[in-house]
Amino acid sequence: MANNQFKRGELYSFITGKASTAIARRLQKKFNSANLNLTIEQWSVLYHLWKQDGISQQELCNASYRDKPSITRLVDNLEKLQLVKRVSSESDRRMNLIYLTGRAQKLQDQTMELANETLLEALEGVSPDRIDVCREVLQIVYDNLAG
Amino acid sequence: MANNQFKRGELYSFITGKASTAIARRLQKKFNSANLNLTIEQWSVLYHLWKQDGISQQELCNASYRDKPSITRLVDNLEKLQLVKRVSSESDRRMNLIYLTGRAQKLQDQTMELANETLLEALEGVSPDRIDVCREVLQIVYDNLAG
DNA sequence: GCCATATAGTTGTTTATACAACTATCCAAA
DNA sequence: TTTGGATAGTTGTATAAACAACTATATGGC
């Protein structure tokens, strides 16, 4: 049993996610410096739409691991910023399909470049195989808890 | 340059911190099931006070990587829950020293046990040396960005 | 067709974070 | 001893997340 106990600091770091918080803040600062007027959360929604445009809010929930009210309000704010449009589905009128505007399409390259830059800074001095291990462990953690 | 490009999914996972979010949610659910009426953020403040009681709000900021308004409001809420008390410092009247109440002291064992349990579930199937690599990488990331 | 149930999305409330602007106190240099 | 800058904390405002309660639409059994 004692073998299964985590050290305090270790435990705290994993739970509070200091590293990913730091990454997100760094990226947010880059967005702000570039006057993008975009939050990381808004970016993370656009991210899924860049992969596939015109998906429903429910699909955005699943993809971004957020609940429905969170997506409702993120889409509200993205609409205010004229980055997306809600289009009621013809086949199922309960659904809103979310489409990128031209403005949002133009943001993709610049923001992905800043995201890449941020990760390079974050992972400086870490060998590729250690990055791989870390990524795999985090994926397992996610899979262990997602169910 | 192409060598330095991250894959999209990898990039997204690191930035959005899916794993640590999932851990925090699982722990929150355990708190709720145990009727602890305590948020993870509140717990993370108590965590530092369990290590050292009677520190200032500024020290809580440094320890928990939050800004001053965040700590002000977390301490507000912890005071409402009668888990901490603000005591004005005698030596420097600008400072509030934050002290745990008896109620908060009693929460330590139970919540740390739940946190341990959560991490065991999260890291199930991951070998100790891979956990170590992951932890070290995340520490480097934090150090790279904290400055 | 009718109704129970499921699904998609919205709204209300509480808690938390980021940033800017503010007050109060301390300290050190003139 | 005064004054100006630094430090500790608070308040206002915007964005976001979790949870519960709600509306609207779809669907499958009868």
PDB file of all heavy atoms in Angstrom, chain A residues 87-118:
ATOM      1  N   VAL A  87     -25.880  27.997 -37.845  1.00  0.00           N
ATOM      2  CA  VAL A  87     -26.845  27.730 -38.901  1.00  0.00           C
ATOM      3  C   VAL A  87     -27.689  26.552 -38.473  1.00  0.00           C
ATOM      4  O   VAL A  87     -27.162  25.462 -38.211  1.00  0.00           O
ATOM      5  CB  VAL A  87     -26.150  27.426 -40.243  1.00  0.00           C
ATOM      6  CG1 VAL A  87     -27.188  27.091 -41.302  1.00  0.00           C
ATOM      7  CG2 VAL A  87     -25.290  28.602 -40.683  1.00  0.00           C
ATOM      8  N   SER A  88     -28.975  26.776 -38.385  1.00  0.00           N
ATOM      9  CA  SER A  88     -29.870  25.702 -37.965  1.00  0.00           C
ATOM     10  C   SER A  88     -29.859  24.583 -39.003  1.00  0.00           C
ATOM     11  O   SER A  88     -29.965  24.834 -40.205  1.00  0.00           O
ATOM     12  CB  SER A  88     -31.281  26.271 -37.804  1.00  0.00           C
ATOM     13  OG  SER A  88     -32.090  25.363 -37.119  1.00  0.00           O
ATOM     14  N   SER A  89     -29.741  23.360 -38.527  1.00  0.00           N
ATOM     15  CA  SER A  89     -29.683  22.215 -39.446  1.00  0.00           C
ATOM     16  C   SER A  89     -31.039  22.001 -40.111  1.00  0.00           C
ATOM     17  O   SER A  89     -32.076  22.093 -39.457  1.00  0.00           O
ATOM     18  CB  SER A  89     -29.289  20.955 -38.676  1.00  0.00           C
ATOM     19  OG  SER A  89     -29.555  19.805 -39.454  1.00  0.00           O
ATOM     20  N   GLU A  90     -31.004  21.698 -41.409  1.00  0.00           N
ATOM     21  CA  GLU A  90     -32.240  21.456 -42.139  1.00  0.00           C
ATOM     22  C   GLU A  90     -32.822  20.096 -41.783  1.00  0.00           C
ATOM     23  O   GLU A  90     -34.038  19.940 -41.670  1.00  0.00           O
ATOM     24  CB  GLU A  90     -31.981  21.480 -43.654  1.00  0.00           C
ATOM     25  CG  GLU A  90     -31.262  22.708 -44.151  1.00  0.00           C
ATOM     26  CD  GLU A  90     -32.167  23.567 -45.018  1.00  0.00           C
ATOM     27  OE1 GLU A  90     -32.957  22.986 -45.776  1.00  0.00           O
ATOM     28  OE2 GLU A  90     -32.078  24.820 -44.926  1.00  0.00           O
ATOM     29  N   SER A  91     -31.958  19.134 -41.562  1.00  0.00           N
ATOM     30  CA  SER A  91     -32.436  17.767 -41.333  1.00  0.00           C
ATOM     31  C   SER A  91     -32.902  17.561 -39.898  1.00  0.00           C
ATOM     32  O   SER A  91     -33.736  16.711 -39.616  1.00  0.00           O
ATOM     33  CB  SER A  91     -31.330  16.767 -41.665  1.00  0.00           C
ATOM     34  OG  SER A  91     -30.230  16.959 -40.803  1.00  0.00           O
ATOM     35  N   ASP A  92     -32.338  18.330 -38.977  1.00  0.00           N
ATOM     36  CA  ASP A  92     -32.745  18.187 -37.569  1.00  0.00           C
ATOM     37  C   ASP A  92     -32.710  19.564 -36.929  1.00  0.00           C
ATOM     38  O   ASP A  92     -31.649  20.089 -36.612  1.00  0.00           O
ATOM     39  CB  ASP A  92     -31.784  17.226 -36.851  1.00  0.00           C
ATOM     40  CG  ASP A  92     -32.198  16.980 -35.405  1.00  0.00           C
ATOM     41  OD1 ASP A  92     -32.981  17.793 -34.855  1.00  0.00           O
ATOM     42  OD2 ASP A  92     -31.756  15.988 -34.818  1.00  0.00           O
ATOM     43  N   ARG A  93     -33.891  20.116 -36.768  1.00  0.00           N
ATOM     44  CA  ARG A  93     -33.944  21.520 -36.385  1.00  0.00           C
ATOM     45  C   ARG A  93     -33.542  21.777 -34.928  1.00  0.00           C
ATOM     46  O   ARG A  93     -33.496  22.922 -34.501  1.00  0.00           O
ATOM     47  CB  ARG A  93     -35.348  22.068 -36.683  1.00  0.00           C
ATOM     48  CG  ARG A  93     -35.591  22.123 -38.206  1.00  0.00           C
ATOM     49  CD  ARG A  93     -36.786  22.949 -38.542  1.00  0.00           C
ATOM     50  NE  ARG A  93     -37.958  22.466 -37.807  1.00  0.00           N
ATOM     51  CZ  ARG A  93     -39.060  23.184 -37.626  1.00  0.00           C
ATOM     52  NH1 ARG A  93     -39.139  24.395 -38.130  1.00  0.00           N
ATOM     53  NH2 ARG A  93     -40.074  22.684 -36.954  1.00  0.00           N
ATOM     54  N   ARG A  94     -33.239  20.696 -34.199  1.00  0.00           N
ATOM     55  CA  ARG A  94     -32.698  20.919 -32.860  1.00  0.00           C
ATOM     56  C   ARG A  94     -31.247  21.383 -32.921  1.00  0.00           C
ATOM     57  O   ARG A  94     -30.748  22.033 -32.022  1.00  0.00           O
ATOM     58  CB  ARG A  94     -32.747  19.613 -32.047  1.00  0.00           C
ATOM     59  CG  ARG A  94     -34.136  19.201 -31.654  1.00  0.00           C
ATOM     60  CD  ARG A  94     -34.103  17.823 -31.043  1.00  0.00           C
ATOM     61  NE  ARG A  94     -33.487  16.851 -31.947  1.00  0.00           N
ATOM     62  CZ  ARG A  94     -33.327  15.571 -31.640  1.00  0.00           C
ATOM     63  NH1 ARG A  94     -33.708  15.111 -30.455  1.00  0.00           N
ATOM     64  NH2 ARG A  94     -32.795  14.742 -32.501  1.00  0.00           N
ATOM     65  N   MET A  95     -30.594  21.009 -34.004  1.00  0.00           N
ATOM     66  CA  MET A  95     -29.143  21.221 -34.094  1.00  0.00           C
ATOM     67  C   MET A  95     -28.753  22.551 -34.717  1.00  0.00           C
ATOM     68  O   MET A  95     -29.366  22.998 -35.683  1.00  0.00           O
ATOM     69  CB  MET A  95     -28.519  20.124 -34.971  1.00  0.00           C
ATOM     70  CG  MET A  95     -28.394  18.795 -34.286  1.00  0.00           C
ATOM     71  SD  MET A  95     -27.176  17.761 -35.113  1.00  0.00           S
ATOM     72  CE  MET A  95     -28.013  17.366 -36.629  1.00  0.00           C
ATOM     73  N   ASN A  96     -27.708  23.145 -34.149  1.00  0.00           N
ATOM     74  CA  ASN A  96     -27.031  24.258 -34.811  1.00  0.00           C
ATOM     75  C   ASN A  96     -25.738  23.739 -35.431  1.00  0.00           C
ATOM     76  O   ASN A  96     -24.937  23.096 -34.740  1.00  0.00           O
ATOM     77  CB  ASN A  96     -26.658  25.344 -33.798  1.00  0.00           C
ATOM     78  CG  ASN A  96     -27.866  26.032 -33.215  1.00  0.00           C
ATOM     79  OD1 ASN A  96     -28.890  26.131 -33.873  1.00  0.00           O
ATOM     80  ND2 ASN A  96     -27.735  26.507 -31.996  1.00  0.00           N
ATOM     81  N   LEU A  97     -25.545  24.038 -36.683  1.00  0.00           N
ATOM     82  CA  LEU A  97     -24.252  23.735 -37.297  1.00  0.00           C
ATOM     83  C   LEU A  97     -23.415  25.004 -37.233  1.00  0.00           C
ATOM     84  O   LEU A  97     -23.892  26.101 -37.514  1.00  0.00           O
ATOM     85  CB  LEU A  97     -24.435  23.265 -38.735  1.00  0.00           C
ATOM     86  CG  LEU A  97     -25.380  22.062 -38.860  1.00  0.00           C
ATOM     87  CD1 LEU A  97     -25.487  21.612 -40.310  1.00  0.00           C
ATOM     88  CD2 LEU A  97     -24.919  20.911 -37.966  1.00  0.00           C
ATOM     89  N   ILE A  98     -22.168  24.849 -36.824  1.00  0.00           N
ATOM     90  CA  ILE A  98     -21.314  26.007 -36.579  1.00  0.00           C
ATOM     91  C   ILE A  98     -20.311  26.147 -37.723  1.00  0.00           C
ATOM     92  O   ILE A  98     -19.533  25.229 -37.990  1.00  0.00           O
ATOM     93  CB  ILE A  98     -20.548  25.864 -35.234  1.00  0.00           C
ATOM     94  CG1 ILE A  98     -21.514  25.472 -34.115  1.00  0.00           C
ATOM     95  CG2 ILE A  98     -19.821  27.156 -34.899  1.00  0.00           C
ATOM     96  CD1 ILE A  98     -22.636  26.452 -33.878  1.00  0.00           C
ATOM     97  N   TYR A  99     -20.371  27.307 -38.362  1.00  0.00           N
ATOM     98  CA  TYR A  99     -19.495  27.541 -39.513  1.00  0.00           C
ATOM     99  C   TYR A  99     -18.518  28.679 -39.245  1.00  0.00           C
ATOM    100  O   TYR A  99     -18.881  29.695 -38.636  1.00  0.00           O
ATOM    101  CB  TYR A  99     -20.328  27.878 -40.752  1.00  0.00           C
ATOM    102  CG  TYR A  99     -21.058  26.689 -41.306  1.00  0.00           C
ATOM    103  CD1 TYR A  99     -22.384  26.437 -40.953  1.00  0.00           C
ATOM    104  CD2 TYR A  99     -20.415  25.795 -42.170  1.00  0.00           C
ATOM    105  CE1 TYR A  99     -23.052  25.328 -41.447  1.00  0.00           C
ATOM    106  CE2 TYR A  99     -21.078  24.682 -42.669  1.00  0.00           C
ATOM    107  CZ  TYR A  99     -22.386  24.455 -42.298  1.00  0.00           C
ATOM    108  OH  TYR A  99     -23.057  23.350 -42.783  1.00  0.00           O
ATOM    109  N   LEU A 100     -17.300  28.495 -39.695  1.00  0.00           N
ATOM    110  CA  LEU A 100     -16.271  29.531 -39.591  1.00  0.00           C
ATOM    111  C   LEU A 100     -16.574  30.658 -40.560  1.00  0.00           C
ATOM    112  O   LEU A 100     -17.036  30.422 -41.678  1.00  0.00           O
ATOM    113  CB  LEU A 100     -14.910  28.943 -39.943  1.00  0.00           C
ATOM    114  CG  LEU A 100     -14.345  27.895 -38.978  1.00  0.00           C
ATOM    115  CD1 LEU A 100     -13.238  27.104 -39.668  1.00  0.00           C
ATOM    116  CD2 LEU A 100     -13.833  28.555 -37.716  1.00  0.00           C
ATOM    117  N   THR A 101     -16.278  31.882 -40.141  1.00  0.00           N
ATOM    118  CA  THR A 101     -16.323  33.002 -41.079  1.00  0.00           C
ATOM    119  C   THR A 101     -14.956  33.136 -41.746  1.00  0.00           C
ATOM    120  O   THR A 101     -13.982  32.484 -41.332  1.00  0.00           O
ATOM    121  CB  THR A 101     -16.621  34.314 -40.340  1.00  0.00           C
ATOM    122  OG1 THR A 101     -15.529  34.585 -39.458  1.00  0.00           O
ATOM    123  CG2 THR A 101     -17.909  34.224 -39.554  1.00  0.00           C
ATOM    124  N   GLY A 102     -14.881  33.979 -42.739  1.00  0.00           N
ATOM    125  CA  GLY A 102     -13.609  34.227 -43.401  1.00  0.00           C
ATOM    126  C   GLY A 102     -12.551  34.735 -42.423  1.00  0.00           C
ATOM    127  O   GLY A 102     -11.389  34.327 -42.467  1.00  0.00           O
ATOM    128  N   ARG A 103     -12.998  35.624 -41.541  1.00  0.00           N
ATOM    129  CA  ARG A 103     -12.128  36.144 -40.498  1.00  0.00           C
ATOM    130  C   ARG A 103     -11.458  35.026 -39.691  1.00  0.00           C
ATOM    131  O   ARG A 103     -10.254  35.078 -39.415  1.00  0.00           O
ATOM    132  CB  ARG A 103     -12.993  36.967 -39.535  1.00  0.00           C
ATOM    133  CG  ARG A 103     -12.578  38.386 -39.282  1.00  0.00           C
ATOM    134  CD  ARG A 103     -13.651  39.139 -38.506  1.00  0.00           C
ATOM    135  NE  ARG A 103     -13.484  39.079 -37.056  1.00  0.00           N
ATOM    136  CZ  ARG A 103     -12.412  39.557 -36.421  1.00  0.00           C
ATOM    137  NH1 ARG A 103     -11.437  40.112 -37.096  1.00  0.00           N
ATOM    138  NH2 ARG A 103     -12.321  39.468 -35.109  1.00  0.00           N
ATOM    139  N   ALA A 104     -12.251  34.011 -39.317  1.00  0.00           N
ATOM    140  CA  ALA A 104     -11.716  32.912 -38.508  1.00  0.00           C
ATOM    141  C   ALA A 104     -10.775  32.048 -39.328  1.00  0.00           C
ATOM    142  O   ALA A 104      -9.754  31.561 -38.825  1.00  0.00           O
ATOM    143  CB  ALA A 104     -12.863  32.063 -37.957  1.00  0.00           C
ATOM    144  N   GLN A 105     -11.126  31.852 -40.604  1.00  0.00           N
ATOM    145  CA  GLN A 105     -10.244  31.045 -41.455  1.00  0.00           C
ATOM    146  C   GLN A 105      -8.868  31.669 -41.544  1.00  0.00           C
ATOM    147  O   GLN A 105      -7.857  30.979 -41.535  1.00  0.00           O
ATOM    148  CB  GLN A 105     -10.869  30.886 -42.846  1.00  0.00           C
ATOM    149  CG  GLN A 105     -11.963  29.806 -42.874  1.00  0.00           C
ATOM    150  CD  GLN A 105     -12.938  29.988 -44.023  1.00  0.00           C
ATOM    151  OE1 GLN A 105     -12.729  30.800 -44.913  1.00  0.00           O
ATOM    152  NE2 GLN A 105     -14.033  29.213 -43.987  1.00  0.00           N
ATOM    153  N   LYS A 106      -8.848  32.993 -41.586  1.00  0.00           N
ATOM    154  CA  LYS A 106      -7.553  33.679 -41.693  1.00  0.00           C
ATOM    155  C   LYS A 106      -6.706  33.545 -40.430  1.00  0.00           C
ATOM    156  O   LYS A 106      -5.493  33.751 -40.476  1.00  0.00           O
ATOM    157  CB  LYS A 106      -7.791  35.163 -41.986  1.00  0.00           C
ATOM    158  CG  LYS A 106      -8.255  35.438 -43.402  1.00  0.00           C
ATOM    159  CD  LYS A 106      -8.212  36.942 -43.720  1.00  0.00           C
ATOM    160  CE  LYS A 106      -9.171  37.294 -44.852  1.00  0.00           C
ATOM    161  NZ  LYS A 106     -10.404  37.999 -44.376  1.00  0.00           N
ATOM    162  N   LEU A 107      -7.346  33.244 -39.319  1.00  0.00           N
ATOM    163  CA  LEU A 107      -6.589  33.158 -38.056  1.00  0.00           C
ATOM    164  C   LEU A 107      -5.802  31.862 -37.919  1.00  0.00           C
ATOM    165  O   LEU A 107      -4.894  31.768 -37.098  1.00  0.00           O
ATOM    166  CB  LEU A 107      -7.549  33.267 -36.860  1.00  0.00           C
ATOM    167  CG  LEU A 107      -8.065  34.652 -36.496  1.00  0.00           C
ATOM    168  CD1 LEU A 107      -9.060  34.559 -35.364  1.00  0.00           C
ATOM    169  CD2 LEU A 107      -6.906  35.569 -36.103  1.00  0.00           C
ATOM    170  N   GLN A 108      -6.177  30.870 -38.706  1.00  0.00           N
ATOM    171  CA  GLN A 108      -5.598  29.548 -38.464  1.00  0.00           C
ATOM    172  C   GLN A 108      -4.077  29.516 -38.514  1.00  0.00           C
ATOM    173  O   GLN A 108      -3.429  29.095 -37.558  1.00  0.00           O
ATOM    174  CB  GLN A 108      -6.166  28.534 -39.472  1.00  0.00           C
ATOM    175  CG  GLN A 108      -5.570  27.140 -39.297  1.00  0.00           C
ATOM    176  CD  GLN A 108      -6.268  26.082 -40.143  1.00  0.00           C
ATOM    177  OE1 GLN A 108      -7.108  26.404 -40.982  1.00  0.00           O
ATOM    178  NE2 GLN A 108      -5.933  24.827 -39.924  1.00  0.00           N
ATOM    179  N   ASP A 109      -3.504  29.964 -39.605  1.00  0.00           N
ATOM    180  CA  ASP A 109      -2.049  29.857 -39.757  1.00  0.00           C
ATOM    181  C   ASP A 109      -1.299  30.598 -38.669  1.00  0.00           C
ATOM    182  O   ASP A 109      -0.386  30.062 -38.044  1.00  0.00           O
ATOM    183  CB  ASP A 109      -1.619  30.383 -41.133  1.00  0.00           C
ATOM    184  CG  ASP A 109      -2.015  29.427 -42.245  1.00  0.00           C
ATOM    185  OD1 ASP A 109      -2.464  28.313 -41.923  1.00  0.00           O
ATOM    186  OD2 ASP A 109      -1.894  29.805 -43.425  1.00  0.00           O
ATOM    187  N   GLN A 110      -1.719  31.836 -38.433  1.00  0.00           N
ATOM    188  CA  GLN A 110      -1.011  32.658 -37.459  1.00  0.00           C
ATOM    189  C   GLN A 110      -1.064  32.048 -36.057  1.00  0.00           C
ATOM    190  O   GLN A 110      -0.052  31.972 -35.359  1.00  0.00           O
ATOM    191  CB  GLN A 110      -1.619  34.065 -37.438  1.00  0.00           C
ATOM    192  CG  GLN A 110      -0.870  35.028 -36.525  1.00  0.00           C
ATOM    193  CD  GLN A 110      -1.514  36.401 -36.506  1.00  0.00           C
ATOM    194  OE1 GLN A 110      -2.601  36.607 -37.052  1.00  0.00           O
ATOM    195  NE2 GLN A 110      -0.835  37.349 -35.873  1.00  0.00           N
ATOM    196  N   THR A 111      -2.249  31.584 -35.651  1.00  0.00           N
ATOM    197  CA  THR A 111      -2.379  31.069 -34.282  1.00  0.00           C
ATOM    198  C   THR A 111      -1.702  29.709 -34.130  1.00  0.00           C
ATOM    199  O   THR A 111      -1.110  29.425 -33.087  1.00  0.00           O
ATOM    200  CB  THR A 111      -3.857  30.948 -33.866  1.00  0.00           C
ATOM    201  OG1 THR A 111      -4.547  30.100 -34.776  1.00  0.00           O
ATOM    202  CG2 THR A 111      -4.508  32.321 -33.836  1.00  0.00           C
ATOM    203  N   MET A 112      -1.765  28.892 -35.169  1.00  0.00           N
ATOM    204  CA  MET A 112      -1.091  27.598 -35.079  1.00  0.00           C
ATOM    205  C   MET A 112       0.425  27.803 -35.003  1.00  0.00           C
ATOM    206  O   MET A 112       1.128  27.076 -34.312  1.00  0.00           O
ATOM    207  CB  MET A 112      -1.456  26.715 -36.283  1.00  0.00           C
ATOM    208  CG  MET A 112      -2.902  26.255 -36.292  1.00  0.00           C
ATOM    209  SD  MET A 112      -3.426  25.287 -34.857  1.00  0.00           S
ATOM    210  CE  MET A 112      -2.648  23.709 -35.219  1.00  0.00           C
ATOM    211  N   GLU A 113       0.896  28.802 -35.709  1.00  0.00           N
ATOM    212  CA  GLU A 113       2.311  29.124 -35.641  1.00  0.00           C
ATOM    213  C   GLU A 113       2.697  29.545 -34.214  1.00  0.00           C
ATOM    214  O   GLU A 113       3.717  29.105 -33.671  1.00  0.00           O
ATOM    215  CB  GLU A 113       2.627  30.252 -36.635  1.00  0.00           C
ATOM    216  CG  GLU A 113       4.044  30.775 -36.612  1.00  0.00           C
ATOM    217  CD  GLU A 113       5.073  29.699 -36.946  1.00  0.00           C
ATOM    218  OE1 GLU A 113       4.735  28.795 -37.739  1.00  0.00           O
ATOM    219  OE2 GLU A 113       6.185  29.753 -36.371  1.00  0.00           O
ATOM    220  N   LEU A 114       1.865  30.378 -33.596  1.00  0.00           N
ATOM    221  CA  LEU A 114       2.144  30.806 -32.223  1.00  0.00           C
ATOM    222  C   LEU A 114       2.060  29.631 -31.247  1.00  0.00           C
ATOM    223  O   LEU A 114       2.842  29.548 -30.297  1.00  0.00           O
ATOM    224  CB  LEU A 114       1.168  31.907 -31.801  1.00  0.00           C
ATOM    225  CG  LEU A 114       1.316  33.250 -32.521  1.00  0.00           C
ATOM    226  CD1 LEU A 114       0.216  34.216 -32.102  1.00  0.00           C
ATOM    227  CD2 LEU A 114       2.687  33.864 -32.256  1.00  0.00           C
ATOM    228  N   ALA A 115       1.133  28.719 -31.505  1.00  0.00           N
ATOM    229  CA  ALA A 115       1.001  27.542 -30.640  1.00  0.00           C
ATOM    230  C   ALA A 115       2.247  26.663 -30.747  1.00  0.00           C
ATOM    231  O   ALA A 115       2.794  26.191 -29.745  1.00  0.00           O
ATOM    232  CB  ALA A 115      -0.244  26.743 -31.014  1.00  0.00           C
ATOM    233  N   ASN A 116       2.701  26.472 -31.970  1.00  0.00           N
ATOM    234  CA  ASN A 116       3.934  25.705 -32.191  1.00  0.00           C
ATOM    235  C   ASN A 116       5.116  26.331 -31.473  1.00  0.00           C
ATOM    236  O   ASN A 116       5.890  25.644 -30.801  1.00  0.00           O
ATOM    237  CB  ASN A 116       4.243  25.650 -33.679  1.00  0.00           C
ATOM    238  CG  ASN A 116       4.075  24.258 -34.229  1.00  0.00           C
ATOM    239  OD1 ASN A 116       4.790  23.348 -33.844  1.00  0.00           O
ATOM    240  ND2 ASN A 116       3.104  24.090 -35.096  1.00  0.00           N
ATOM    241  N   GLU A 117       5.233  27.616 -31.628  1.00  0.00           N
ATOM    242  CA  GLU A 117       6.296  28.381 -30.990  1.00  0.00           C
ATOM    243  C   GLU A 117       6.264  28.186 -29.476  1.00  0.00           C
ATOM    244  O   GLU A 117       7.304  27.986 -28.837  1.00  0.00           O
ATOM    245  CB  GLU A 117       6.038  29.854 -31.337  1.00  0.00           C
ATOM    246  CG  GLU A 117       7.178  30.811 -31.234  1.00  0.00           C
ATOM    247  CD  GLU A 117       6.686  32.196 -31.667  1.00  0.00           C
ATOM    248  OE1 GLU A 117       6.403  32.375 -32.872  1.00  0.00           O
ATOM    249  OE2 GLU A 117       6.548  33.078 -30.785  1.00  0.00           O
ATOM    250  N   THR A 118       5.052  28.239 -28.919  1.00  0.00           N
ATOM    251  CA  THR A 118       4.888  28.085 -27.464  1.00  0.00           C
ATOM    252  C   THR A 118       5.358  26.716 -27.011  1.00  0.00           C
ATOM    253  O   THR A 118       6.069  26.584 -26.010  1.00  0.00           O
ATOM    254  CB  THR A 118       3.414  28.281 -27.076  1.00  0.00           C
ATOM    255  OG1 THR A 118       2.978  29.556 -27.534  1.00  0.00           O
ATOM    256  CG2 THR A 118       3.237  28.199 -25.574  1.00  0.00           C
TER     257      THR A 118
END
